[in-house]
Amino acid sequence: MTKRVTIADVARQAGLSKGAVSYALNGQPGVSESTRQRVLRLALEMGWHPNSAAKALSGARSGAFGLVLARPASTLGVEPFFMRLISGMETAMASTQTALLLQVVPDHDAEIATYRRWWAERRVDGVFLIDLCVDDKRVPVLEELRLPVMVVGGPGHHGSLAGVWIDDASAMVMVVEYLAALRHRRIARVGGVPGMLHDELRSAAFDSVADRLELEWSTTIPTDYSPERGAQATRRLLSGANPPTAIIYDNDVMAVAGVSVAHEMGVQVPGDLSIMAWDDSVLCEITHPPLTAVSRDITAYGRQLAEHLLALLNGEVVTEVQDNPPRLVVRGSTARPTDHRPAAVTG
Amino acid sequence: MTKRVTIADVARQAGLSKGAVSYALNGQPGVSESTRQRVLRLALEMGWHPNSAAKALSGARSGAFGLVLARPASTLGVEPFFMRLISGMETAMASTQTALLLQVVPDHDAEIATYRRWWAERRVDGVFLIDLCVDDKRVPVLEELRLPVMVVGGPGHHGSLAGVWIDDASAMVMVVEYLAALRHRRIARVGGVPGMLHDELRSAAFDSVADRLELEWSTTIPTDYSPERGAQATRRLLSGANPPTAIIYDNDVMAVAGVSVAHEMGVQVPGDLSIMAWDDSVLCEITHPPLTAVSRDITAYGRQLAEHLLALLNGEVVTEVQDNPPRLVVRGSTARPTDHRPAAVTG
DNA sequence: CTGAAAGCGCTTACAG
DNA sequence: CTGAAAGCGCTTACAG
């Protein structure tokens, strides 16, 4: 096991040419079924694996997909989202021996430079584009490079690139309707980064449903998804003269931070304040009270994305695919608000 | 930008042979300084990047390090540890254009198969070995493959492989001494998976310091690092006749779960129960009360590991390196225990 | 200091 | 159905 087995070794052992062995191994026509079986068995016995560099150089695929994360290292570890997404992707990629190349960079310019380098180096067969923004400058670059891309997000705003999206807007409607049904009339949202598409979509949906349901009051406070900013937003909301009775947080970590702030300020959850987290995770289950959350199957989403990128490489036409809609998981952090004032609005 | 620039293009443009250009580009002797500068400038202008497959095939490095994570997808996202480690590694790797190949597998057998495949495919120049166990069966395989390896852990138990370790044993002594100084005499530990080296080291250190300090009582409950098991262990500990006054958790997520269980059971933190988390993270800061924790600079650790793996590839001798020791970050979850019984042990 | 040539291990037309 | 050969884009002895 100290020397690597090449296709020439297998060919010699089989008494065939390298070309014939290659055809047999790759399921190409031009070789009899019995020969193919014999070669396959022999390659397995001899412990042959294709040299990935040789394979890539001779025009085949590099056998890797790329994922660039342009978030600060500090934020990265916090949300379970990424690791879930990655492990979902790998589930689908494992069957085709495709590896995942991961790169962490500081910003979108460095991300674009990475795509250009990967393209020139022929490093990857395709990439996943994450954290899609409105007017995203990465999109035209990827279109120009003609690198196969699967966008994590949408709908729309990714030009001619393919993508898989989850319907956050409908989920937001569901969430607000749920809170309204509990008789909440003052609902706040601790949002994400304006300009990021999913944040814009959630904001727009939130505003429109608040309008339609004729809520007494509603507002969105933008954040950078960090627990610090989530806590700060919560303090600001709760110290107003007429605080909200429910807050929707754009991620799990900020929601947990929100619960802590409520505790600190002596605000009862869910008695005085209902709290909702957007992405469900184990964090939502272990806090006290456990958090009602919008749950998306991130692992399945990752799998979908990888499967569609593989399909794209196989020449299938993929444009915009919708993944399963989020579900509402009701736990202990949401309830009908305690009435401190005379009922006015509700009939 | 639609056609990739090769070394032949650069050579033609420069009026040199491909060999000369290669020497110039790689800083090899055999080319004048002025020629080298001219070639370098030209390559940059033309947007040349080496085709990674060609480079790897002609005997050079593949330009990638591999990391296999053999943990279930469910556990993966939860601990911020991995993403921090990874982003630290990438910091060091970015300067040498080395990419990180990430693979998630179900168990150690699949992990070993991945190493064998990567070796045969010449996919990676080296790998990081994580979650080191006592009598780890991955170690002899990697020794046999002669693949450059940097072990994340130790000390010892990794044969002839190189590794970087953090002194968890001393940290455990520091932690227990701190709790003992607060007059805790009944200390429990919610540990990790027996057989994993760092768990064994922490357990041994815990037992020995408990012994030396003549604690009234001490115990370790093993878990799988999941919050469920952490919560379960906490319930068991707190419902005993004579519960501990302090619990040390082997990760942040279980510590947070422990706080929730205490809340549920009406146990005051830190009045009735002091809680300590092993790896500090933003989770420890956002809970109420914020958690006292053992803090390790995971990003720096990742950087160290990558730097040493690069050094190993450059022919430097690396055996066993010790990284900075952990620090104790005192927050609100630890305090002197409220005395419910007549003082007996302390003078 | 420079150029021509072989070779890395595959794939893929092209003849037989 | 099979074999001999060229080629992918680099690196690296080997001559000059």
Coordinates of all heavy atoms in Angstrom, one line a residue, chain B residues 7 10-11 14-32 35-36 39, chain C residues 1-5, chain D residues 11-13:
Chain B
I7 N 0.3 28.6 -19.4 CA 1.7 29.0 -19.3 C 2.3 29.2 -20.7 O 3.2 30.0 -20.9 CB 2.5 28.0 -18.5 CG1 3.6 28.6 -17.7 CG2 3.0 26.8 -19.3 CD1 4.3 27.7 -16.7
V10 N 1.6 32.7 -21.9 CA 2.5 33.7 -21.2 C 3.9 33.6 -21.9 O 4.5 34.6 -22.2 CB 2.6 33.4 -19.7 CG1 3.6 34.4 -19.1 CG2 1.3 33.5 -19.0
A11 N 4.3 32.3 -22.2 CA 5.6 32.1 -22.8 C 5.7 32.8 -24.2 O 6.7 33.5 -24.5 CB 5.9 30.6 -22.9
A14 N 5.9 36.4 -23.9 CA 7.2 36.9 -23.3 C 8.3 36.6 -24.3 O 9.4 37.0 -24.1 CB 7.4 36.2 -22.0
G15 N 8.0 35.7 -25.3 CA 9.1 35.3 -26.2 C 10.1 34.4 -25.5 O 11.3 34.4 -25.7
L16 N 9.5 33.5 -24.6 CA 10.4 32.5 -23.9 C 9.8 31.1 -24.0 O 8.7 31.0 -24.5 CB 10.4 32.9 -22.4 CG 11.1 34.2 -22.0 CD1 10.8 34.5 -20.5 CD2 12.6 34.1 -22.2
S17 N 10.5 30.2 -23.5 CA 10.0 28.8 -23.5 C 9.1 28.6 -22.3 O 9.2 29.4 -21.3 CB 11.2 27.8 -23.4 OG 11.8 27.9 -22.2
K18 N 8.3 27.6 -22.3 CA 7.4 27.3 -21.2 C 8.2 27.1 -19.9 O 7.9 27.5 -18.8 CB 6.5 26.1 -21.5 CG 5.5 26.3 -22.6 CD 4.5 25.2 -22.7 CE 5.1 23.8 -22.6 NZ 4.1 22.7 -22.7
G19 N 9.3 26.3 -20.1 CA 10.2 26.0 -19.0 C 10.7 27.2 -18.3 O 10.7 27.4 -17.0
A20 N 11.2 28.2 -19.1 CA 11.7 29.4 -18.5 C 10.7 30.2 -17.7 O 10.9 30.6 -16.6 CB 12.3 30.3 -19.6
V21 N 9.5 30.2 -18.3 CA 8.4 30.9 -17.6 C 8.1 30.2 -16.3 O 7.8 30.8 -15.3 CB 7.1 30.9 -18.5 CG1 5.9 31.4 -17.7 CG2 7.4 31.8 -19.7
S22 N 8.1 28.9 -16.3 CA 7.8 28.1 -15.1 C 8.8 28.4 -14.0 O 8.5 28.7 -12.9 CB 7.8 26.6 -15.4 OG 7.6 25.9 -14.2
Y23 N 10.1 28.5 -14.4 CA 11.1 28.8 -13.5 C 10.9 30.2 -12.9 O 11.1 30.4 -11.7 CB 12.5 28.7 -14.1 CG 13.0 27.3 -14.4 CD1 13.6 27.0 -15.6 CD2 12.8 26.3 -13.4 CE1 14.0 25.7 -15.9 CE2 13.3 25.0 -13.7 CZ 13.9 24.7 -14.9 OH 14.3 23.5 -15.1
A24 N 10.6 31.1 -13.8 CA 10.4 32.5 -13.3 C 9.3 32.6 -12.3 O 9.4 33.2 -11.3 CB 10.1 33.4 -14.5
L25 N 8.2 31.9 -12.7 CA 7.0 32.0 -11.9 C 7.1 31.3 -10.5 O 6.5 31.8 -9.5 CB 5.8 31.3 -12.6 CG 4.8 32.1 -13.3 CD1 5.1 33.6 -13.5 CD2 4.4 31.5 -14.6
N26 N 8.0 30.3 -10.5 CA 8.1 29.6 -9.2 C 9.3 29.9 -8.4 O 9.7 29.3 -7.4 CB 8.1 28.1 -9.5 CG 6.8 27.6 -10.0 OD1 5.8 27.7 -9.3 ND2 6.8 27.0 -11.2
G27 N 10.0 31.0 -8.8 CA 11.1 31.5 -8.0 C 12.3 30.5 -8.0 O 13.1 30.5 -7.1
Q28 N 12.3 29.7 -9.1 CA 13.5 28.8 -9.2 C 14.6 29.5 -9.8 O 14.5 30.5 -10.6 CB 13.1 27.6 -10.1 CG 11.9 26.8 -9.6 CD 12.3 25.9 -8.5 OE1 13.4 25.9 -8.0 NE2 11.4 25.0 -8.1
P29 N 15.9 29.1 -9.5 CA 17.0 29.6 -10.2 C 17.0 29.2 -11.7 O 16.3 28.2 -12.0 CB 18.2 29.0 -9.5 CG 17.7 27.8 -8.8 CD 16.2 28.1 -8.5
G30 N 17.8 29.8 -12.5 CA 17.8 29.4 -13.9 C 17.2 30.5 -14.8 O 16.9 30.3 -15.9
V31 N 17.0 31.7 -14.2 CA 16.4 32.8 -15.0 C 16.8 34.1 -14.4 O 17.0 34.2 -13.1 CB 14.8 32.6 -15.0 CG1 14.2 33.1 -13.7 CG2 14.2 33.3 -16.1
S32 N 17.1 35.1 -15.2 CA 17.7 36.3 -14.7 C 16.6 37.1 -13.9 O 15.4 36.9 -14.2 CB 18.2 37.2 -15.8 OG 17.1 37.7 -16.5
T35 N 14.3 39.1 -16.2 CA 13.3 38.3 -16.9 C 12.2 37.8 -16.0 O 11.0 37.9 -16.3 CB 14.0 37.0 -17.4 OG1 15.1 37.4 -18.3 CG2 13.1 36.1 -18.2
R36 N 12.6 37.4 -14.8 CA 11.6 37.0 -13.8 C 10.6 38.1 -13.5 O 9.4 37.8 -13.6 CB 12.3 36.6 -12.5 CG 11.4 36.0 -11.4 CD 12.0 35.9 -10.1 NE 13.3 35.1 -10.1 CZ 13.4 33.8 -10.2 NH1 12.3 33.1 -10.3 NH2 14.6 33.3 -10.3
V39 N 8.3 38.4 -16.5 CA 7.3 37.3 -16.6 C 6.2 37.5 -15.6 O 5.0 37.3 -15.8 CB 8.0 36.0 -16.4 CG1 7.0 34.8 -16.3 CG2 8.9 35.7 -17.6
Chain C
dC1 P 22.1 34.7 -13.5 OP1 21.6 36.0 -13.4 OP2 21.8 33.6 -12.5 O5' 21.7 34.1 -14.9 C5' 21.4 35.0 -16.0 C4' 21.2 34.2 -17.2 O4' 21.9 32.9 -17.1 C3' 19.8 33.7 -17.5 O3' 19.3 34.4 -18.7 C2' 19.8 32.2 -17.7 C1' 21.3 32.0 -17.9 N1 21.8 30.6 -17.5 C2 21.9 29.6 -18.4 O2 21.6 29.9 -19.6 N3 22.3 28.4 -18.1 C4 22.6 28.1 -16.8 N4 23.1 26.9 -16.5 C5 22.5 29.1 -15.8 C6 22.1 30.4 -16.2
dT2 P 17.8 34.4 -19.1 OP1 17.6 35.6 -20.0 OP2 17.0 34.1 -17.9 O5' 17.7 33.1 -20.0 C5' 18.2 33.2 -21.4 C4' 18.1 31.8 -22.0 O4' 18.7 30.8 -21.2 C3' 16.6 31.3 -22.2 O3' 16.4 31.3 -23.6 C2' 16.6 30.0 -21.6 C1' 18.1 29.6 -21.5 N1 18.4 28.7 -20.4 C2 18.8 27.4 -20.7 O2 18.9 27.0 -21.9 N3 19.1 26.6 -19.7 C4 19.1 27.0 -18.3 O4 19.4 26.2 -17.4 C5 18.7 28.3 -18.0 C7 18.6 28.8 -16.6 C6 18.3 29.1 -19.1
dG3 P 14.9 31.0 -24.2 OP1 14.6 32.0 -25.3 OP2 14.0 30.9 -23.0 O5' 15.0 29.5 -24.8 C5' 16.1 29.3 -25.6 C4' 16.1 27.8 -26.0 O4' 16.6 27.0 -24.9 C3' 14.7 27.3 -26.4 O3' 14.8 26.4 -27.5 C2' 14.3 26.5 -25.1 C1' 15.6 26.0 -24.6 N9 15.6 25.9 -23.1 C8 15.2 26.8 -22.2 N7 15.4 26.4 -21.0 C5 16.0 25.2 -21.1 C6 16.4 24.3 -20.1 O6 16.4 24.4 -18.9 N1 16.9 23.1 -20.7 C2 17.0 22.8 -22.0 N2 17.5 21.7 -22.3 N3 16.6 23.7 -22.9 C4 16.1 24.8 -22.4
dA4 P 13.5 25.9 -28.3 OP1 13.6 26.3 -29.7 OP2 12.3 26.2 -27.5 O5' 13.8 24.3 -28.2 C5' 15.1 23.8 -28.1 C4' 15.1 22.3 -27.9 O4' 15.1 22.0 -26.5 C3' 13.8 21.6 -28.4 O3' 14.1 20.2 -28.7 C2' 12.8 21.7 -27.3 C1' 13.8 21.5 -26.1 N9 13.4 22.2 -24.9 C8 12.7 23.4 -24.7 N7 12.6 23.8 -23.5 C5 13.2 22.7 -22.8 C6 13.4 22.5 -21.4 N6 12.9 23.4 -20.4 N1 14.1 21.4 -21.0 C2 14.5 20.6 -21.9 N3 14.4 20.7 -23.3 C4 13.7 21.8 -23.6
dA5 P 13.0 19.1 -29.0 OP1 13.6 18.2 -30.0 OP2 11.7 19.8 -29.3 O5' 12.8 18.4 -27.6 C5' 14.0 17.9 -27.0 C4' 13.6 16.9 -25.9 O4' 13.2 17.7 -24.7 C3' 12.3 16.1 -26.2 O3' 12.4 14.8 -25.6 C2' 11.2 16.9 -25.6 C1' 11.9 17.4 -24.3 N9 11.3 18.5 -23.7 C8 10.6 19.6 -24.3 N7 10.2 20.5 -23.4 C5 10.7 20.1 -22.2 C6 10.6 20.6 -20.9 N6 10.0 21.8 -20.6 N1 11.3 19.9 -19.9 C2 11.9 18.8 -20.2 N3 12.0 18.2 -21.4 C4 11.4 18.9 -22.3
Chain D
dT11 P 4.6 24.7 -12.6 OP1 4.4 25.1 -11.2 OP2 5.2 25.6 -13.6 O5' 5.4 23.4 -12.6 C5' 5.1 22.4 -11.7 C4' 6.1 21.2 -11.8 O4' 6.2 20.8 -13.2 C3' 7.6 21.6 -11.5 O3' 8.1 20.6 -10.7 C2' 8.2 21.8 -12.8 C1' 7.5 20.7 -13.7 N1 7.4 21.0 -15.1 C2 7.8 20.0 -16.0 O2 8.2 18.9 -15.6 N3 7.7 20.3 -17.3 C4 7.2 21.5 -17.9 O4 7.1 21.7 -19.1 C5 6.8 22.5 -16.9 C7 6.2 23.8 -17.4 C6 6.9 22.2 -15.6
dT12 P 9.4 20.8 -9.8 OP1 9.1 20.2 -8.5 OP2 9.8 22.2 -9.9 O5' 10.5 19.9 -10.6 C5' 10.1 18.7 -11.2 C4' 11.2 18.2 -12.1 O4' 10.9 18.7 -13.5 C3' 12.6 18.8 -11.8 O3' 13.5 17.7 -12.0 C2' 12.8 19.9 -12.8 C1' 12.1 19.3 -14.0 N1 11.6 20.2 -15.0 C2 11.5 19.8 -16.3 O2 11.8 18.7 -16.6 N3 11.1 20.7 -17.2 C4 10.7 22.0 -16.9 O4 10.3 22.8 -17.8 C5 10.8 22.4 -15.5 C7 10.5 23.8 -15.1 C6 11.3 21.5 -14.7
dA13 P 14.7 17.4 -10.9 OP1 14.7 15.9 -10.8 OP2 14.5 18.2 -9.8 O5' 16.0 17.8 -11.7 C5' 17.0 16.9 -11.9 C4' 16.7 16.1 -13.2 O4' 15.7 16.7 -14.0 C3' 17.9 15.9 -14.0 O3' 18.0 14.6 -14.6 C2' 17.7 17.0 -15.1 C1' 16.2 17.1 -15.2 N9 15.8 18.4 -15.5 C8 15.7 19.5 -14.7 N7 15.3 20.6 -15.3 C5 15.1 20.2 -16.6 C6 14.6 20.9 -17.7 N6 14.3 22.2 -17.7 N1 14.6 20.3 -18.9 C2 14.9 19.0 -18.9 N3 15.3 18.2 -17.9 C4 15.4 18.9 -16.8

